[in-house]
Amino acid sequence: MQLTHARVRGRGFRRVRRLALLAVGALLLASTTSSGTAVLAAESPAASDPHNFAPASRTVKPVSVHRTAGTVTTPENLLNGGSARLSGKDSYVVLDFGKEVGGLVSLGFAGASEAGRQVGLAFSETAAFVGVESDRSSQHFGSDGAIFAAVGGSGTYTMPKEKLRGGFRYLTLFLGSDGWVDVNDVTLQFTPDPDRANPRDYPNYFRSNDDLLDKLWYAGAYTVQTNTIAPDTGRNKVAPNPGWQNSAVIGPGTSVLTDGAKRDRTVWPGDLGVALPTAYASLNDTKSSRNALEALYWLQRGDGMLPYAGPEISRLDSTEGDTYVSDTYHLWTLVGTGLYHRYTDDTNWVRWIWPRYVKAMDFSLAKVDGTGLLNVSGLLDWGRSFSPGHKITANALLYAALTSGAKLADAHGDTAHANAWRERAAAVKTAANAQLWNPATGLYRDVPGAALHPQDGNSMAIWFGLTDSPAKNASIVRTLTANWTDIGAVTPEAGNLVGTFTGSMELTARLMANDDVDALALMRRAWGFMLNSPNGTNSTFWESFKYDGSPYYGNSYMSAAHGWATGPTNALTFFVLGLNPSDATHYDFVPHLGDLSHVEGNITTPKGAVHGTWDYTPGTFTSKLTAPAGTTGRIGVPTYGSSSVEVTVNGATVWSGGKFQPGAGLSGGSADGAYVYLTGAGGGTYTVTATGVVKPDSFDVAVLPDYLPPGYTFCATEGQTCTPNGTQVLSFGAGDHAYRTISGPAKCEIGTFGKDPAPNVLKSCYLAPAGGPSGSAKCASEGDVCQVDGRRTVAFGANGAFRFMTVNGTAKCNAAAFGANPLQGVAKSCYVLPDAPAGAWEKCVDEGTPCVVEGTQAFGARGSYWTAKSDSTANCAVATFGVDPLVDFVKSCYAWTGKPSGFTTECTVEKGTCSFTGEQTVAFGRNGSYVYRTFTGSTPCTEAAFGADPVFGAVKSCYLIR
């Protein structure tokens, strides 16, 4: 982890501080409950899983020769114990361990041409930076160089402990002198996760019918495993240049969770926000997280502020002014504390840190001003420039700290703080939604009135429960999709890189908003790109990368094994599998199916392992839960809006006709339109069968939101029947629409769609056009390759059902490339979208000046567009629309000049009378902005009749469907 503009200078903890920290840690460990890695009588399923990247032994050897230069004889012998000769200065062999590894390398030598020969060792995480100098790990602007073994004949060499290399995949052995040297052995002592006897033996596991997702789970687990280190092997703040040194004491105990394998090898509280849940979900390692948190609390300043990083970057006795400078990272420590207790019930530890915790909370609450929001003055944050103010990120974190802190206070028996913090949390939530929500974009602003609508703050708002309605959750995840490229979600608050920290947040937000399919699609795009990239470790996740896939943060200085990037692992366990603890004895088993058909796995609670498995076939959902005594679970059954789902548990009917029926030892049941929830599942086994569960197809309908796509044709009024030609998308609504695929006659009614997209008005149904989106051009059939000029948006699908993606040059035309199958059982194609948005859009201005048309406008370029309602004065700019549909392209704005989507007849202008036969829905407005009401026979075309003015100051009209 690195914070923007952070300065790294000076020396680390003094020896006395190191000893004090270790001493306190030892006392604390003696007084707390055990919450570390579970000791298993037999290997877990993870130990034998072929996707597990961890080695089975602490002794690791390279698996292939990546390349050679100069004169290297029989280099392949180094893989099997034979001898290879390096002859001549600068001759080298690059050995590939096949994945990220870390530790101490030992070499064996069979001989040398003469005494004083020098064999250099250089390290790289990625193939892009292999050579005779190591990639950078030590400082921003220095060089790591290489280390050298002196060889005079047969013998051995082991790297000095302080030169331990935390993360690398490639080892370059080179001759730094004339003559020759015979190397006959290369081994690595694997040092991460030092307390685990068998590095592969994870207590928890995950398995599904999607091979890539399984690999992503294990890659995230392995990433945090490589980030878990002995506390005396952290990165020294000051190291030789060239060179590196990893001998700093960074925490108590025997293992500490840090931010990265290669760098920084330091405790960063923000990184713990993702890495801590991953370490629990996969490794069941909470001890290393506790030690990391403890290192932060021990550096607390007298006024209560916590450091923005652990030792050695921060020091309590620092004379520098840059170690206590982040309000958000201060709050991440409090949030991490709540997560740790949630997974462990380690109340003894909470009691020990409680005075420090309360002092830290008071420090943040003192920054809440008359607006009701925390006003950031400690400016540093991940990947951002200096920016003060009432930030959505800080206030979402404050809300999370207050709500989790109230639970900690309950556990500690501190009723006064519990009640006070719940009241303060409610006030922060109210203030944030009143002052930071921007209804024009459907996102939260960075600060009140700001142009920036950040990925992190909006994702945190859902993740931590700051939003005040499901509609806001849906709006956020729908709008954030416009920031996607073919390799991930662009992060507007950090220079349009693909942020794996913020992307991890977005995954959780999407799953919490029940946007399961898109969450899995984003995993496959961004994390699949990292895992399969030829310039990666093919085993761990990166600190971040640029939208074109190139390295972020100083090229070789970038960390390719970074814990904050491991969001898929905890998201797959907590939401897709659905096992998510709410405290040490209570948990949810609420699966999010996405486009999967089978998932299984477990979590480990202080009471023992909780195992879950689920399967889906069209119409039927089954699951099985096994939990230990002393735990209580809530079982979730997805309904997708259907009211006809029936559920049995262990053969007893417990849900039928929309009501709970007592049985199977359960205590109650409820429904929220998305799930049936069954409560009170104690220790034991529960076999669940649900019928009437019909999962909708995984498709989108248009790259532009909030209007019926062009080309759809009217087929029925509500209550009538539509008949498709084959399999087509059917739309249902008036202004706002719901969509589903049909292959035969279907009733145009709420029951067919599972929801009412436009309450209190008479709706209609429309059938999608055959083939591609209106105005598009076919570029490939399914299974072939679509080629485009530069970057532009491509649709994959047919007959109204599509997945959209910004393609850079070429893309495989299949479901794997686009993240989901938009239309099962139908031959699909890829289509290039037109430069201008299809439909009744006319170009108004290029980016940078206002489009002086009030109403709905489209913003974008080359097929990538987004919409927002403008007051005619706002600039044609990212700020107005909240997202950037196509990074690094000059975009344009387009004004809607046609009739309302789906309404073909203008019946009168404003102040006239619109007459018709029977009951009909009438649209009132102009320029793409309308309100809808249902009348019988006629209606005045006035604001009074419709109850609102959709386009203030413009002459409007009234429209009928036909």
Side-chain angles (χ1 to χ4, degrees), residues 109 230 327 414 439 456:
F109 302 109
D327 284 327
D414 188 341
D456 56 5

Side-chain angles (χ1 to χ4, degrees), residues 721-728 730 740-747 767:
T721 298
C722 282
T723 302
N725 181 15
T727 300
Q728 287 177 277
L730 182 67
R740 62 159 295 181
T741 57
I742 60 172
S743 299
K747 254 319 201 26
L767 282 168

Side-chain angles (χ1 to χ4, degrees), residues 478 699-702 704-710 712-718 722 729-740 748-750 753-759 761-768 896 899-903 921 923 930 932 961:
R478 174 71 175 115
F699 68 86
D700 204 348
V701 294
L704 276 170
D706 304 327
Y707 82 111
L708 186 68
Y712 276 61
T713 56
F714 172 85
C715 64
T717 300
E718 188 170 3
C722 282
V729 171
L730 182 67
S731 167
F732 171 64
D736 293 320
H737 292 260
Y739 300 85
R740 62 159 295 181
C748 183
E749 62 183 12
I750 294 170
F753 293 84
K755 64 179 181 179
D756 186 348
V761 297
L762 182 69
K763 290 163 280 288
S764 297
C765 283
Y766 304 82
L767 282 168
W896 180 263
K899 302 178 180 68
S901 299
F903 288 70
T921 296
Y930 306 94
Y932 301 83
I961 292 174

Side-chain angles (χ1 to χ4, degrees), residues 110-299:
S113 59
E114 56 190 297
R117 300 308 89 195
Q118 295 284 316
V119 172
L121 295 83
F123 303 86
S124 174
E125 288 189 296
T126 66
F129 302 108
V130 296
V132 297
E133 288 201 358
S134 301
D135 56 10
R136 294 193 294 124
S137 74
S138 218
Q139 49 263 315
H140 288 270
F141 305 110
S143 168
D144 278 29
I147 57 175
F148 291 89
V151 185
S154 62
T156 61
Y157 164 84
T158 298
M159 298 164 56
K161 183 181 178 183
E162 67 271 13
K163 294 301 180 185
L164 178 148
R165 195 70 184 182
F168 67 95
R169 173 176 170 175
Y170 300 95
L171 167 64
T172 300
L173 300 179
F174 65 96
L175 199 56
S177 57
D178 295 329
W180 57 264
V181 170
D182 288 341
V183 184
N184 66 356
D185 189 38
V186 181
T187 59
L188 169 75
Q189 181 65 21
F190 185 78
T191 58
D193 196 7
D195 294 336
R196 197 176 305 275
N198 176 357
R200 292 178 61 85
D201 198 9
Y202 303 168
N204 301 330
Y205 80 103
F206 175 89
R207 191 173 297 147
S208 76
N209 64 295
D210 187 310
D211 193 62
L212 175 59
L213 294 180
D214 294 355
K215 290 179 181 177
L216 298 183
W217 190 91
Y218 280 100
Y222 187 56
T223 298
V224 295
Q225 187 173 31
T226 65
N227 295 179
T228 304
I229 67 175
D232 60 349
T233 63
R235 183 178 82 164
N236 292 72
K237 191 171 185 180
V238 176
N241 185 13
W244 69 91
Q245 189 157 323
N246 288 323
S247 59
V249 176
I250 59 167
T254 56
S255 64
V256 177
L257 180 57
T258 65
D259 68 321
K262 178 185 74 171
R263 55 137 285 275
D264 291 330
R265 298 179 68 79
T266 301
V267 177
W268 288 92
D271 302 53
L272 290 176
V274 176
L276 189 160
T278 295
Y280 164 73
S282 56
L283 310 177
N284 191 38
D285 180 8
T286 53
K287 176 188 65 176
S288 302
S289 298
R290 181 193 64 204
N291 291 338
L293 291 165
E294 191 172 315
L296 296 168
Y297 279 110
W298 194 247
L299 293 176

Side-chain angles (χ1 to χ4, degrees), residues 27 50 85 88 98 164 175 299 322 381 489 534 586 594 615 633 653 714 717 761 849 937:
L27 290 172
R85 175 169 291 185
L164 178 148
L175 199 56
L299 293 176
D322 61 356
D381 202 349
H586 294 81
D615 293 271
T653 298
F714 172 85
T717 300
V761 297
T849 58

Side-chain angles (χ1 to χ4, degrees), residues 482-486 488-492 494-498 546-548 790-793 806 808 847 859-862 864-865 878 883-891:
N483 288 324
W484 287 15
T485 72
D486 56 335
V490 168
T491 307
N496 292 321
L497 62 88
V498 177
K546 298 176 184 176
Y547 70 86
D548 61 0
R791 286 189 295 126
R792 60 171 58 246
T793 298
T806 301
N808 189 7
E847 188 173 7
F859 171 68
R862 298 173 68 81
S864 296
Y865 291 92
V878 171
V883 293
D884 190 340
L886 197 63
V887 174
D888 277 1
F889 272 83
V890 175
K891 290 161 279 287

